[in-house]
Amino acid sequence: MKVYLDNAATTKIDPVVLEEMMPYFTEFFGNPSSIHAFGRKPKSAIEKARKAVAKYLNASTSEIFFTSGGTESNNMIIKRSITDLGVQRIITSPAEHHCVLHSTEAVEKLGIHVDYVKLDNKGNVDYNHLEELLANDSRKTLVTIMHANNEIGSMTDMEKIAELCAKYNAYYHSDTVQTIGYFPFDVQKTKVHFLSGASHKFHGPKGCGFIYISSGAMVKPYLDGGAQERNMRAGTENIYGIVGLGRALELAAENMQANREHIEALKKHMISRLQEEIPGVKFNGDVENGHYRVLNVALPPNGKSDLMLFNLDIAGIAASAGSACSSGSDIGSHVLKSINADPACSNIRFSFSRFNTMDEIDYAVDKLKEIMEIKVEEKVG
Ligand SMILES: Cc1ncc(COP(=O)(O)O)c(C=O)c1O
C-alpha cells in the first residue's frame, strides 16, 4: 500500500484540474501577449483564473497577480515594501517559512530593523507582545505573519492582527500558502494588504501562485522585463499553471465544507488511535485550533526514532520531519525549536488531503506501531 500523508509539502493534482490545463499545452499554445487569435485564447484563460482568485478573496481582479508560487510572492512583498512603501521595520515570527525568514534576513543586511513576535509553546502568537512591538516604534512597519504554520499547523487570528496593524498604521502581509483553498477569505472584512498563495497546496500544479496586493498598497514589479500581469510581473505567463490554479481554487471553494469534514475526521481518527495505542505520544502545535490538515506527532524516545521516516517510507508511507525544505538536513526544524519542542522525541508531520481514506490512516498507525514494536498489550486507556 502507498499512503501519501505529506500534503502540506504538496498535493496531488486533481484530475479535473489537469484536464482543464491540457489544451493549453497543445492546442492553445499561443503567447498571451500576442494580439492574434492564438494569443487571445490563453489571454482570456488567464483573466478567467484571475476572476476565480478575486472572487474567492472578495477582491478586485486588479489586485491579483500571478507569480511562480509562495516563495516569489513572499519575497516580492517583503523586498518591495522596503523600496516602494517606505517600510523601515519588519515584524515577523520565528516560525515563518524560510522564504519569509530568509527574505527578512536579506533586508536586515540592508539596514532594515527586524523584530520577532513571541510565540507560546503551541506556536500561537503573543498578541500583547505584537501590540507592544507596534506601539514602541514609530518607524513604518510591515507585519509579516503566516496564517497557518506548515510544520505544526498552528494558526494566527488574521482579524486581530489586521486590527492591530490598522491601529498602528502598519502594513500587513500574511503567508496564506497553507490556508488558501481550505478556509474562507474576505479581504473587504479582514484588512490585510498582501496575501500569498501557491496552487500546488490545493491540488493545482506546481510553480504557480499569486499575490494579492490591496489597491492602497501597490508596489513596483519584483521582476523587471515585459509588461505581463499589467506591468507587475514580467515574463511569459505560465498559462497552464494559471489555468490549473484557477480551476483548483474554484473546486476548493465549492467543496470546502465537505472536504473539511472529511479531512477533520481523518485527523481526529489518527489522534485518537495514537493516543490510545502509543503510550507517551504528544502533539506539537495547537492540535485543537490548528489547521485541520496538519498533525505533528511527537513520538516518545524509542530505539527506532532515528530511522522513523525511513522506516515509514519503506512501509509505503510518506510523511515529513518538518517542512519539506528542511527534511533530510540535520539542522533540525526552526519551527520546533521556536516552540521549545522536546528534542528527544521523534517529530513527524502527517498532513492530509481529501484524497486520503480512513483505511490509509489505519494502515499508517498500524505501521507506526509495528516500527516502534508496540504490542497490543501495551495499549493504555
Ligand atoms: C507556509 C509556506 N509558505 C511558503 C511556501 C513556499 O511556497 P512555494 O513552494 O510555492 O514556493 C510554502 C511551501 O512549502 C509554505 O508551506
Side-chain angles (χ1 to χ4, degrees), residues 12 23-25 78 112 174 244 258-259 280 311 333:
K12 168 179 164 176
Y24 294 89
F25 285 97
I78 290 165
I112 300 300
S174 187
N259 291 341
N311 285 322
S333 151

Side-chain angles (χ1 to χ4, degrees), residues 96-103 105 151 323 325-326 331-332 334:
E96 298 296 305
H97 191 272
H98 274 140
C99 62
V100 167
L101 287 178
H102 292 166
S103 294
E105 283 160 20
E151 292 190 33
S323 69
C325 330
S326 1
I331 50 165
H334 67 285

Side-chain angles (χ1 to χ4, degrees), residues 80 220-226 231-235:
R80 295 295 342 183
K220 295 204 177 84
Y222 183 50
L223 295 180
D224 294 315
N231 283 313
M232 187 58 94
R233 205 277 186 176

Side-chain angles (χ1 to χ4, degrees), residues 8-9 68-72 74 96-100 146 148-150 175-178 197-201 207-209 323-325 349:
S68 64
T71 299
E72 182 184 328
N74 290 340
E96 298 296 305
H97 191 272
H98 274 140
C99 62
V100 167
M146 69 205 314
N149 187 278
N150 47 302
D175 175 354
T176 45
V177 163
Q178 289 291 340
S199 145
H200 70 107
K201 305 289 185 183
C208 189
S323 69
C325 330
R349 177 188 69 180

